[in-house]
């Protein structure tokens, strides 16, 4: 798994939690997470508009839990 894929996996996890942890929607959460990160410069993909514009909110790491608040 590439570093980019690992980051997408982490973001997708938090998207899933935020959605209420529904079953059977992993692909939707993965695609949403892909749209929230910067494009991979090796692949040359670009994202126009949307979540890649403007200030970025830092995402919690997987070691942080919902109970840590």
């Amino acid at each position: 798994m590439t570093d980019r894929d690992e980051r997408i996996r982490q973001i997708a996890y938090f998207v899933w939690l935020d959605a209420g942890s529904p079953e059977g929607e992993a692909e939707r959460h993965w695609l949403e997470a892909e749209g929230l990160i910067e494009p991979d410069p090796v692949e040359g993909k670009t994202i126009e508009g949307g979540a890649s514009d403007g200030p970025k909110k830092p995402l919690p790491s997987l070691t942080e839990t919902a109970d840590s608040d």
Side-chain angles (χ1 to χ4, degrees):
M1 181 175 279
T2 66
D3 288 341
R4 181 175 184 273
D5 287 344
E6 177 62 22
R7 188 66 179 145
I8 293 169
R9 187 189 68 76
Q10 291 174 353
I11 294 169
Y13 171 75
F14 288 105
V15 169
W16 173 72
L17 286 177
D18 192 51
S21 309
E23 295 295 324
E25 298 185 26
E27 184 176 2
R28 181 177 67 83
H29 297 132
W30 183 274
L31 294 173
E32 184 175 339
E34 276 187 316
L36 294 173
I37 65 167
E38 292 294 322
D40 186 343
V42 174
E43 294 180 16
K45 293 180 181 177
T46 59
I47 300 173
E48 296 181 17
S52 66
D53 292 346
K56 307 269 186 296
K57 178 179 175 185
L59 294 170
S61 70
L62 284 177
T63 57
E64 296 178 37
T65 65
D67 296 329
S68 65
D69 290 327

